[in-house]
């Protein structure tokens, strides 16, 4: 985007770039958490859920592409080294040290809720002011909402499965 195009934006572009850079770091951490967790995961329904988590991982990576392209269009510099991801990210990176499926899913659910908050803030900040960033943020937000729903559904299914097993034992 040209200098004039950036100048006429009725918002604090530096603040917006800071928010986008935080989102960019959060996406890479989310991608890695999904990517590794899916492979280490153990427990019921693993074979159905693992490929779905890898789909989520790829979507997070695609979000980082959308976000980094916008940072560059706005004249910003993306965070250049993974060593700085934790400094900018507001979301935690939960190492998959316990591979049990429910633990992995709970960790990812926490990440999704953090991402939902992030894109809601970016969408609100740009609403009616920077249509391009607003559109990117709402597009990503919709996918994060779908991810949250997927994980909540799997956790519910796992819970039901455990309840059924308990009934059989009684
Ligand atoms: Fe994402
Ligand atoms: Fe997500």
């Amino acid at each position: 985007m040209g200098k004039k195009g950036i100048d006429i934006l009725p918002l604090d572009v530096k603040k917006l770039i800071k928010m986008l850079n935080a989102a960019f770091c959060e996406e890479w951490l989310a991608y890695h958490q999904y990517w590794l967790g899916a492979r280490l995961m153990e427990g019921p329904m693993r074979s159905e859920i693992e490929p779905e988590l890898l789909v989520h991982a790829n979507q997070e990576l695609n979000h980082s592409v959308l976000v980094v392209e916008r940072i560059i269009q706005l004249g910003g510099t993306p965070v250049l080294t993974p060593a700085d991801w934790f400094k900018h990210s507001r979301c935690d990176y939960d190492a998959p040290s316990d591979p049990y499926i429910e633990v992995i899913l709970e960790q990812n659910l926490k990440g999704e809720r953090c991402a939902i908050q992030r894109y809601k803030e970016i969408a609100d900040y740009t609403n009616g002011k920077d249509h391009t960033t607003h559109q990117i943020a709402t597009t990503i937000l919709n996918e994060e909402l779908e991810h949250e729903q997927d994980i909540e559904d799997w956790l519910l299914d796992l819970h039901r499965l455990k309840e059924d097993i308990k009934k059989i034992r009684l």
Side-chain angles (χ1 to χ4, degrees):
M1 198 154 86
K3 194 177 177 312
K4 183 71 181 167
I6 297 168
D7 283 349
I8 58 161
L9 288 174
L11 45 71
D12 181 345
V13 175
K14 272 192 185 154
K15 184 181 167 183
L16 177 58
I17 290 168
K18 203 166 180 276
M19 292 166 99
L20 290 169
N21 252 325
F24 171 65
C25 297
E26 287 159 2
E27 291 294 356
W28 272 100
L29 291 171
Y31 169 71
H32 192 271
Q33 188 176 303
Y34 266 117
W35 183 88
L36 193 55
R39 289 174 165 83
L40 290 167
M41 205 166 62
E42 292 171 4
M45 292 165 60
R46 174 176 61 171
S47 55
E48 293 137 77
I49 295 176
E50 183 187 334
E52 297 296 326
L53 291 188
L54 292 173
V55 170
H56 282 199
N58 282 334
Q59 287 172 329
E60 309 304 4
L61 195 57
N62 190 46
H63 298 164
S64 80
V65 175
L66 295 172
V67 170
V68 83
E69 284 176 349
R70 190 61 186 151
I71 291 170
I72 295 164
Q73 282 170 1
L74 288 166
T77 305
V79 171
L80 295 173
T81 172
D84 289 338
W85 289 349
F86 288 99
K87 283 186 219 159
H88 295 266
S89 172
R90 200 168 56 186
C91 310
D92 293 327
Y93 174 82
D94 289 323
S97 46
D98 180 346
Y100 188 57
I101 192 162
E102 274 188 328
V103 178
I104 298 285
L105 290 176
E106 290 287 356
Q107 289 174 334
N108 291 343
L109 185 58
K110 210 170 92 188
E112 292 302 341
R113 289 177 177 159
C114 186
I116 288 167
Q117 184 62 32
R118 167 68 65 201
Y119 290 106
K120 186 206 173 292
E121 287 174 18
I122 296 174
D124 286 348
Y125 189 60
T126 53
N127 192 19
K129 293 174 180 165
D130 173 356
H131 305 297
T132 308
T133 307
H134 185 257
Q135 198 181 9
I136 291 167
T138 50
T139 300
I140 298 175
L141 178 59
N142 282 334
E143 284 198 358
E144 308 298 13
L145 291 168
E146 280 174 25
H147 291 171
E148 185 197 35
Q149 185 67 60
D150 286 346
I151 299 173
E152 285 182 359
D153 289 347
W154 293 323
L155 283 168
L156 186 66
D157 288 350
L158 282 165
H159 179 73
R160 292 234 168 106
L161 188 69
K162 285 205 295 194
E163 291 298 306
D164 286 349
I165 291 168
K166 264 193 227 163
K167 278 182 210 155
I168 293 166
R169 280 190 184 147
L170 287 172

